[in-house]
Amino acid sequence: MSDWFKPATTSGNAEYHVRIQPGDPGWEHTGLLVADLDRGERRHVDTQGSEYIVVPLACPSAVVEVDGERYELQGRADVFSGPTDVLYVGRDSAFDVEAPEGGRVALCLAPAKEPFPVKHLRKADVPVEMRGAGQASRQVQNFGTPGVLDADSIIACEVITPAGNWSSYPPHKHDEEREGVETALEEIYYFEMQTEAGGGPAKDGNAPDPIGYQRVYGTDERPIDVLAEVRSGDVVLVPHGWHGPAMAPTGYDMYYLNVMAGPGQTRAWLICDDPSHAWVRSTWQDQPVDPRLPYRP
């Protein structure tokens, strides 16, 4: 499991406390860099053969300068405060990202064959989807999905799961190229957790310890076995196999950032449910969406 579960800071370096790159052992098509920037601090990136999406996580604002052009991104207080502005930067470019007030910023990336133009997607234009129902209700913020963002290979979105709910469910996979049915995509899960609204000190005055769980499992032909207890800053990598559920225990809300890309010619997110659990979707039509959603500032 240690190959695919990266506890907070264990993948990082001096510049990025999360650093997942194509070319890491067993990893080819996606990457994620996460940095906590002090006020006015910046990072410089030469995109070379990859495309990037700049995503403010817990960052009120960000400034990105791309090949001499300046873009001001409206951010958010934290990842549970609804969507944020994002900026797409294509391959063969260079950019600097700065947090004028300080904050946490994610850089999602994937190798790209073709350059696409810079795109500033404002938070008001990010489609927000309520997926599932009942205890499988979750909020999906589709800032980097096909049909929303033009790109070569990268697919990215954010998911908020209220305390006590399951998401990334039913378990599903996307590790084969089957036209119109399934696309082969690596996937990164980057997690942040919080104590749900109204939560207080744990017993005897101890601070709460927001945790969640993520499951990944494979087949006899392509085995993988991950059951990770996740906290803020942790990463789970899905090179192949069924993945889900992502579980938010009672008392703790879950956020995750997904980054996907693969070797196929078509940029699409086509999934196949685990046949043993696919029936769960049919129960949603008779259940309301969790009234705690949507999460908004």
Side-chain angles (χ1 to χ4, degrees):
M1 187 175 77
S2 60
D3 290 340
W4 312 121
F5 173 51
K6 310 293 185 183
T9 76
T10 61
S11 66
N13 60 15
E15 286 194 303
Y16 301 99
H17 62 266
V18 171
R19 185 180 182 275
I20 307 296
Q21 294 274 41
D24 289 348
W27 206 246
E28 297 183 63
H29 303 291
T30 56
L32 178 67
L33 307 173
V34 180
D36 283 312
L37 301 177
D38 292 333
R39 184 186 299 268
E41 188 180 3
R42 61 172 51 197
R43 294 287 184 271
H44 176 78
V45 175
D46 289 311
T47 66
Q48 300 181 0
S50 293
E51 56 190 352
Y52 283 73
I53 305 176
V54 180
V55 184
L57 295 174
C59 187
S61 65
V63 174
V64 186
E65 294 183 1
V66 185
D67 300 329
E69 294 291 327
R70 179 183 173 92
Y71 299 88
E72 296 185 0
L73 277 57
Q74 184 180 358
R76 55 194 170 184
D78 57 57
V79 295
F80 296 96
S81 298
T84 178
D85 285 16
V86 303
L87 190 79
Y88 169 88
V89 183
R91 61 167 292 162
D92 304 322
S93 298
F95 69 89
D96 291 275
V97 58
E98 179 181 339
E101 302 171 67
R104 185 175 308 115
V105 177
L107 309 178
C108 312
L109 67 126
K113 302 178 185 69
E114 301 292 336
F116 279 70
V118 174
K119 172 68 175 180
H120 181 186
L121 183 66
R122 301 185 186 278
K123 63 169 62 181
D125 298 323
V126 174
V128 178
E129 171 191 358
M130 300 302 120
R131 189 175 295 170
Q135 287 186 294
S137 300
R138 60 272 204 187
Q139 176 173 324
V140 184
Q141 295 163 179
N142 290 302
F143 64 81
T145 53
V148 176
L149 180 72
D150 290 333
D152 182 90
S153 63
I154 195 168
I155 299 172
C157 65
E158 303 175 300
V159 180
I160 298 174
T161 308
N165 287 7
W166 287 23
S167 63
S168 195
Y169 194 71
H172 57 280
K173 73 179 184 73
H174 38 72
D175 59 11
E176 298 179 78
E177 286 291 326
R178 297 188 292 158
E179 187 174 356
V181 176
E182 184 179 355
T183 45
L185 300 167
E186 284 181 345
E187 186 163 13
I188 298 171
Y189 280 72
Y190 164 82
F191 292 91
E192 295 201 12
M193 306 292 302
Q194 73 170 10
T195 303
E196 69 176 331
K203 187 176 181 181
D204 299 326
N206 293 310
D209 179 20
I211 57 171
Y213 296 88
Q214 172 71 30
R215 180 75 171 116
V216 185
Y217 58 99
T219 63
D220 290 341
E221 295 77 19
R222 301 184 75 188
I224 185 171
D225 186 8
V226 178
L227 178 56
E229 183 176 281
V230 295
R231 291 172 170 81
S232 290
D234 290 356
V235 171
V236 172
L237 304 178
V238 184
H240 57 83
W242 310 104
H243 45 286
M247 297 163 273
T250 299
Y252 304 120
D253 299 324
M254 171 183 283
Y255 161 95
Y256 51 85
L257 170 64
N258 285 144
V259 187
M260 292 172 276
Q265 296 299 310
T266 302
R267 178 176 174 253
W269 183 66
L270 299 179
I271 70 170
C272 175
D273 287 337
D274 183 334
S276 297
H277 304 294
W279 66 270
V280 172
R281 289 188 188 275
S282 66
T283 67
W284 295 345
Q285 60 189 358
D286 299 321
Q287 300 180 58
V289 172
D290 192 312
R292 293 173 291 180
L293 297 177
Y295 279 62
R296 291 288 190 179

